[in-house]
């Protein structure tokens, strides 16, 4: 029988606290220059999960004394009108960052809407110009979730250099930028990167070879302990609602089966309290960065 591995919990909450402690002085500095970093959150339609996400982001901005406004539109707003509203926010100097909460209602071409956000205010890093810069190795705004994951690895001294990292999922929001970042010639990159997705047969045959697994699939508890190499580090990006008998009627689970990876993984991020808090922390950081760039006349 193989010996059990001690599994460390990688608390994103702890890392986020550390990020905010560093950001406070930068926020003070911006304010002393007469600038309050500001974020506009664009919310289209009534999706309850999107409303929750926007509320938790803007709550954090308010708590830090930053400026934020949520601009809500009905799901049936005409595409031209939504594009015009985004152009209005691009021209409004109160906002240094603009985020369009995804997913947009199905009728919208998300790529077209995201492309309307000025690249200088694209604090989510989803504009094709910013994704292109990331691919070229000269990023401006790094998408918040992958950026937050790198910070978690850095904080807990989990090196990526020379390691085999398997990213499960290839979305433009998480998986693809994550795999690009890990393969860049940088201290937080230099990894050998494999990307798996819905057309990959036998995903376990890849994850069992990985030193680090990043699960961003949106399938509850898909990655199980028997799919891992003992001692590997697991980052669980998934946030999935699973119905249960509780008062709320559901509980949140990740893409990783938390219990079965205990004693196999060397480290794992929890859900909640793992990647989620870091996504918000990186949104704040990117917005502060945008305000600093504005102050220094970079755009
Ligand atoms: P997404 O756009 O739906 O992409 C999911 C990816 O997983 C796709 O590349 C898809 O493959 C792949 N996939 C789906 N089912 C699969 C399967 N059975 N086997 C292998 N691959 C499969 O989702 P996302 O936006 O990347 O988000 C992923 C998860 O992370 C969701 O649970 C989401 O709620 C969560 N999330 C959390 C945060 C956070 O802050 N913690 C932030 C963003 C997202 P194809 O490309 O082939 O379709």
């Amino acid at each position: 029988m193989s010996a059990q591995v001690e599994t460390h919990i990688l608390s994103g909450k702890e890392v986020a606290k550390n990020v905010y402690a560093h950001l406070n002085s930068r926020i003070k500095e911006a304010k002393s220059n007469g600038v309050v970093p500001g974020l506009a959150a664009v919310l289209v339609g009534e999706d309850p999960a999107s409303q929750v996400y926007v509320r938790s982001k803007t709550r954090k901005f308010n708590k830090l004394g930053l400026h934020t406004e949520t601009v809500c539109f009905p799901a049936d707003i005409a595409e031209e009108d939504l594009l015009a509203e985004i152009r209005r926010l691009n021209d409004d100097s109160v906002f240094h960052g603009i985020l369009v909460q995804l997913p947009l209602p199905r009728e919208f071409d998300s790529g077209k809407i995201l492309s309307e956000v000025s690249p200088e205010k694209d604090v989510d890093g989803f504009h094709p110009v910013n994704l292109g810069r990331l691919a070229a190795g000269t990023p401006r705004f790094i998408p918040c979730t992958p950026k937050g994951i790198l910070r978690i690895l850095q904080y807990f001294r989990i090196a990526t250099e020379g390691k085999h990292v398997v990213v499960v999922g290839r979305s433009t929001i998480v998986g693809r930028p994550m795999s690009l970042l890990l393969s860049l010639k940088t201290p937080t990159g230099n990894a050998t990167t494999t990307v798996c997705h819905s057309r990959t047969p036998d995903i376990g045959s890849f994850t069992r070879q990985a030193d680090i697994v990043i699960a961003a699939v949106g399938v509850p508890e898909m990655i199980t302990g028997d799919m891992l190499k003992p001692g590997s580090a697991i980052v669980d990006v998934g946030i999935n609602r699973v119905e249960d008998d509780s008062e709320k009627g559901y509980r949140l689970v990740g893409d990783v089966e938390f219990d079965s990876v205990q004693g196999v993984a060397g480290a794992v991020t929890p859900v909640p309290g793992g990647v989620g808090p870091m996504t918000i922390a990186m949104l704040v950081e990117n917005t502060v960065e945008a305000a600093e760039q504005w102050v220094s006349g970079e755009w």
Side-chain angles (χ1 to χ4, degrees), residues 58-71:
T58 52
R59 205 181 300 132
K60 183 50 89 177
F61 274 73
N62 287 326
K63 202 171 159 197
L64 292 165
L66 302 173
H67 180 68
T68 181
E69 281 176 42
T70 304
V71 199

Side-chain angles (χ1 to χ4, degrees), residues 53 57 126 144-146 149 168-176 195-200 203 215-220 222 236-241 253-255 271 274-280:
Y53 290 141
K57 289 170 188 172
F126 298 155
C144 302
T145 302
I149 291 169
V168 191
R170 58 175 168 183
S171 73
T172 322
I173 296 171
V174 191
R176 186 159 305 131
V195 182
C196 298
H197 45 77
S198 67
R199 310 297 165 90
T200 307
I203 288 179
V217 271
V219 177
M222 186 185 119
D236 188 354
V237 184
I239 305 177
N240 308 293
R241 285 184 182 199
V253 300
D255 291 343
V271 176
V275 175
M278 282 305 290
T279 296
I280 298 179

Side-chain angles (χ1 to χ4, degrees), residues 23 152 199 242 247:
L23 279 177
I152 291 176
R199 310 297 165 90
V242 176
E247 207 177 303

Side-chain angles (χ1 to χ4, degrees), residues 122 125-136 141 143 172-173 177 180:
D122 171 40
F126 298 155
H127 191 286
V129 166
N130 287 326
L131 286 170
R133 286 183 61 147
L134 177 62
F141 294 116
T172 322
I173 296 171
L180 282 169

Side-chain angles (χ1 to χ4, degrees), residues 111-130:
K112 189 171 177 187
I113 305 298
L114 292 172
S115 297
E116 201 68 21
V117 174
S118 155
E120 289 82 10
K121 294 193 175 188
D122 171 40
V123 286
D124 259 339
F126 298 155
H127 191 286
V129 166
N130 287 326

Side-chain angles (χ1 to χ4, degrees), residues 1-142:
M1 222 172 86
S2 61
Q4 284 258 311
V5 171
E6 189 187 351
T7 305
H8 298 277
I9 305 300
L10 308 174
S11 166
K13 261 192 195 167
E14 181 183 325
V15 190
K17 234 173 149 178
N18 186 270
V19 170
Y20 293 126
H22 283 94
L23 279 177
N24 271 330
S25 57
R26 288 170 66 182
I27 294 169
K28 259 194 204 146
E29 171 78 16
K31 285 185 173 176
S32 72
N33 285 315
V35 174
V36 180
L39 175 81
V42 175
L43 185 57
V44 184
E46 309 268 316
D47 177 47
S50 292
Q51 288 172 339
V52 169
Y53 290 141
V54 167
R55 255 202 312 276
S56 57
K57 289 170 188 172
T58 52
R59 205 181 300 132
K60 183 50 89 177
F61 274 73
N62 287 326
K63 202 171 159 197
L64 292 165
L66 302 173
H67 180 68
T68 181
E69 281 176 42
T70 304
V71 199
C72 300
F73 301 106
D76 62 356
I77 183 175
E79 184 187 79
E80 258 322 304
D81 292 342
L82 181 57
L83 293 171
E85 288 292 341
I86 291 175
R87 284 194 290 275
R88 182 183 66 76
L89 296 170
N90 284 340
D91 293 339
D92 189 338
S93 61
V94 162
F95 302 115
H96 307 96
I98 299 170
L99 90 81
V100 177
Q101 183 62 41
L102 299 176
L104 286 168
R106 221 172 296 153
E107 300 71 38
F108 289 93
D109 174 350
S110 298
K112 189 171 177 187
I113 305 298
L114 292 172
S115 297
E116 201 68 21
V117 174
S118 155
E120 289 82 10
K121 294 193 175 188
D122 171 40
V123 286
D124 259 339
F126 298 155
H127 191 286
V129 166
N130 287 326
L131 286 170
R133 286 183 61 147
L134 177 62
T138 54
R140 174 165 36 204
F141 294 116
I142 298 175

Side-chain angles (χ1 to χ4, degrees), residues 183-260:
S183 66
L184 289 181
K185 204 168 183 175
T186 57
T188 54
N190 282 328
T192 304
T193 312
T194 300
V195 182
C196 298
H197 45 77
S198 67
R199 310 297 165 90
T200 307
D202 190 8
I203 288 179
S205 67
F206 295 94
T207 51
R208 272 187 288 273
Q209 296 176 46
D211 303 302
I212 301 171
V213 173
I214 301 190
V217 271
V219 177
E221 302 180 320
M222 186 185 119
I223 305 293
T224 50
D226 61 334
M227 295 170 74
L228 303 177
K229 178 164 90 172
S232 53
I234 317 302
V235 176
D236 188 354
V237 184
I239 305 177
N240 308 293
R241 285 184 182 199
V242 176
E243 285 181 23
D244 69 6
D245 297 332
S246 69
E247 207 177 303
K248 271 197 295 192
Y250 68 87
R251 68 195 160 92
L252 289 183
V253 300
D255 291 343
V256 174
E257 193 179 55
F258 192 76
D259 289 343
S260 81

